[in-house]
């Protein structure tokens, strides 16, 4: 029997200890979803020097957030940006979260920089429509 190709979690950094104690690490946040889908996963931590997977060896990749800044152009981050360009041009399905989407933008020719007016934060609550409220909830939120 042929083993299914895994999805890959590219962990782009490690949370500070106080957050890890309360909320685990980024890969743990995604494992529950992959478990529901029955999808095998692999974890790669390029910030520790781990080798990124070859194009075609995985079904999709999630690139997590980080406490680093894309604008710092750290060596591991720039190597990961090169990998993004390579696997994206080969047709890989990629999903970036926070740092991950900024790194994808940088890798694919976008400009990532500080906002000229400083930090901007906003939260806007959106009420769920009737259809969304009718959907089953598979993953319980943690408080």
């Amino acid at each position: 029997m042929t083993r299914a190709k895994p999805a890959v979690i590219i962990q782009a950094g490690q949370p500070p200890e106080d957050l890890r104690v309360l909320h685990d690490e980024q890969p743990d946040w995604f494992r529950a979803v992959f478990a529901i889908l029955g999808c095998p996963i692999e974890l790669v931590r390029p910030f520790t020097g781990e080798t990124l997977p070859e194009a075609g060896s995985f079904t999709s990749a999630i690139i997590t957030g980080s406490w680093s800044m894309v604008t710092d152009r750290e060596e591991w981050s720039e190597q990961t940006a090169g990998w993004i360009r390579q696997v994206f041009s080969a047709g890989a399905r990629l999903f970036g979260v926070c740092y991950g989407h900024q790194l994808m933008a940088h890798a694919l020719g976008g400009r990532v920089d500080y906002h000229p007016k400083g930090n901007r934060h906003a939260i806007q609550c959106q009420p769920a429509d009737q259809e969304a409220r009718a959907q089953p909830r598979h993953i319980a939120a943690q408080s």
Side-chain angles (χ1 to χ4, degrees), residues 78-101:
E78 290 299 295
Q79 290 173 350
T80 305
W83 174 83
I84 289 168
R85 283 188 291 278
Q86 178 188 23
V87 299
F88 182 79
S89 67
R93 294 181 290 180
L94 304 174
F95 180 79
V97 177
C98 199
Y99 185 91
H101 84 266

Side-chain angles (χ1 to χ4, degrees), residues 41-92:
I41 61 167
E42 289 183 6
L43 172 63
V44 179
R45 295 178 176 103
F47 68 96
T48 67
E50 292 181 4
T51 303
L52 291 157
E54 292 183 26
S57 68
F58 57 94
T59 60
S60 55
I62 293 177
I63 306 161
T64 73
S66 178
W67 279 255
S68 295
M69 299 294 291
V70 171
T71 53
D72 290 342
R73 308 287 193 258
E74 294 181 49
E75 183 177 347
W76 71 266
S77 182
E78 290 299 295
Q79 290 173 350
T80 305
W83 174 83
I84 289 168
R85 283 188 291 278
Q86 178 188 23
V87 299
F88 182 79
S89 67

Side-chain angles (χ1 to χ4, degrees), residues 10-33:
I10 307 299
Q11 184 177 352
Q14 190 171 42
E17 179 66 26
D18 58 333
L19 291 178
R20 287 195 312 265
V21 167
L22 292 173
H23 304 291
D24 298 318
E25 293 193 39
Q26 302 96 311
D28 302 313
W29 309 342
F30 296 103
R31 283 188 174 111
V33 174

